[in-house]
Amino acid sequence: MELVVLLACLGWVCWPVLGDMIHRWSTDPRYGHGYLVPLFALGLLWMRRPSYDLDRARGSLWGVVLVASGSAVYLLGGYVGSGWIEGLSLLPVLTGLCVLFGGTTALRWAAPSLAFLFFMIPLPWRFEVALGASLQRIATKLSTVSLQTLGFVAYSEGNVIVMEEGRIGVVEACSGLGMLMTFIAISTAVAIVVQRPWFDRILIVLSAIPIALIANIARITLTGVLHETVGGEWADRFYHDLAGWLMIPFALGLLMIELWVLSRLFVELEAEEPVPGLAMMGFAGNAGHRGVSNLRAGEHAAPPLPGPTRSTD
């Protein structure tokens, strides 16, 4: 009951910040995935429920420290007028409530879900501008090279690709920033859920950036091809409507290919059955465990084979 009351108070205090987030999710295509982030976090809690030992859960007063720290961050965000800092304050507050009522046991259970909530917070405006401009330049240059490789006449003027039959403007909305943020969240979710070694999971998260860039470059390149083949009307319709829906499935397909490649490159070896003859002489049947006997409990190695003896004077 106390937890419900505290969550209600938290929602009342932080409602302006939550309202701004929901507004961005609804109006900004770059953060349309924000609605799915809390749902995935709740689903992840449900999936990890066997790891939560209710009998060992003991609340800790360290949670009060975390809640106080989050409250201080919230006040700081309001003082400097940063919605991003205000939104970020929700993470230490929720973590503190988790520790306050469940201790380290609850924290281990909820930590992946709490960390994933970071993706529902819109980025600071200055960071969006700087990152969006860089992505515009990269997408324009590489798309121009891609069209030239396909045999089309194309060159770039700033963030505009000039072709024989038209011009493609890589505006800020089409820079790929929305695709990048969405796909980083998706890749992180896949890395959390998939049963793979930690090295593979890190690669999956890091690969979100090049995969998102490849998807956006493919979108711009295909638009240029349509400009030169079927006309500008169909190309513009594809660029602004259909391509936006196809980018996520295309990027997910690339991610599935990456998972398939990783499963072929890094294969986990299972213990092999010992070879009977070698086991009797104390050799391991698995090449990765040299010098370790595979004899079962209660078995004894065979006595050494008789051999020629040397006489000494």
Side-chain angles (χ1 to χ4, degrees):
M1 185 62 183
E2 294 85 354
L3 179 60
V4 175
V5 173
L6 286 176
L7 288 176
C9 294
L10 176 64
W12 180 75
V13 172
C14 298
W15 178 247
V17 179
L18 295 174
D20 290 342
M21 285 187 189
I22 295 174
H23 178 71
R24 290 290 299 274
W25 301 345
S26 303
T27 59
D28 193 338
R30 294 174 295 184
Y31 298 101
H33 62 276
Y35 287 105
L36 301 177
V37 172
L39 295 178
F40 177 81
L42 292 174
L44 188 59
L45 286 177
W46 177 258
M47 293 170 56
R48 291 174 52 84
R49 68 189 186 280
S51 63
Y52 183 69
D53 189 354
L54 183 61
D55 296 332
R56 300 182 59 184
R58 298 291 184 273
S60 173
L61 291 179
W62 283 105
V64 177
V65 178
L66 292 172
V67 172
S69 301
S71 302
V73 173
Y74 182 78
L75 294 175
L76 175 64
Y79 178 77
V80 301
S82 173
W84 181 76
I85 296 178
E86 290 179 334
L88 196 65
S89 67
L90 294 174
L91 301 184
V93 170
L94 292 174
T95 303
L97 292 177
C98 183
V99 174
L100 182 62
F101 287 92
T104 56
T105 301
L107 181 60
R108 285 192 296 267
W109 167 60
S113 296
L114 293 172
F116 191 75
L117 291 177
F118 174 81
F119 293 106
M120 73 178 185
I121 306 173
L123 294 175
W125 180 78
R126 291 183 179 179
F127 185 80
E128 288 181 351
V129 172
L131 184 58
S134 300
L135 291 175
Q136 278 181 276
R137 290 192 296 269
I138 294 173
T140 303
K141 295 294 184 182
L142 294 182
S143 298
T144 302
V145 173
S146 178
L147 288 168
Q148 292 172 350
T149 304
L150 293 175
F152 295 96
V153 177
Y155 63 92
S156 60
E157 290 182 349
N159 292 325
V160 176
I161 301 176
V162 181
M163 304 185 69
E164 289 183 324
E165 301 296 331
R167 300 162 64 93
I168 305 174
V170 184
V171 297
E172 182 180 356
C174 301
S175 63
L177 178 59
M179 174 68 184
L180 178 61
M181 296 306 302
T182 301
F183 199 67
I184 288 178
I186 293 175
S187 300
T188 304
V190 172
I192 292 174
V193 174
V194 71
Q195 298 295 325
R196 300 289 301 174
W198 278 105
F199 180 75
D200 289 10
R201 298 185 182 190
I202 294 174
L203 285 181
I204 290 171
V205 175
L206 294 179
S207 66
I209 298 176
I211 288 178
L213 288 175
I214 291 172
N216 195 40
I217 292 169
R219 171 192 185 184
I220 299 172
T221 301
L222 186 54
T223 302
V225 173
L226 292 176
H227 259 289
E228 298 298 298
T229 55
V230 300
E233 181 180 355
W234 285 96
D236 292 338
R237 186 175 301 176
F238 169 81
Y239 186 52
H240 295 290
D241 298 329
L242 182 60
W245 293 97
L246 295 179
M247 287 177 68
I248 291 296
F250 177 71
L252 286 175
L254 295 179
L255 181 59
M256 295 300 104
I257 294 175
E258 179 189 2
L259 289 173
W260 180 82
V261 172
L262 289 176
S263 65
R264 296 301 186 275
L265 288 178
F266 306 102
V267 181
E268 294 185 5
L269 298 178
E270 297 181 356
E272 301 177 358
E273 290 294 330
V275 180
L278 295 179
M280 293 180 64
M281 292 184 289
F283 291 99
N286 192 333
H289 298 79
R290 296 181 179 178
V292 180
S293 176
N294 283 330
L295 295 177
R296 297 182 176 86
E299 295 182 352
H300 302 281
L305 297 177
T309 58
R310 295 182 181 179
S311 60
T312 56
D313 296 332

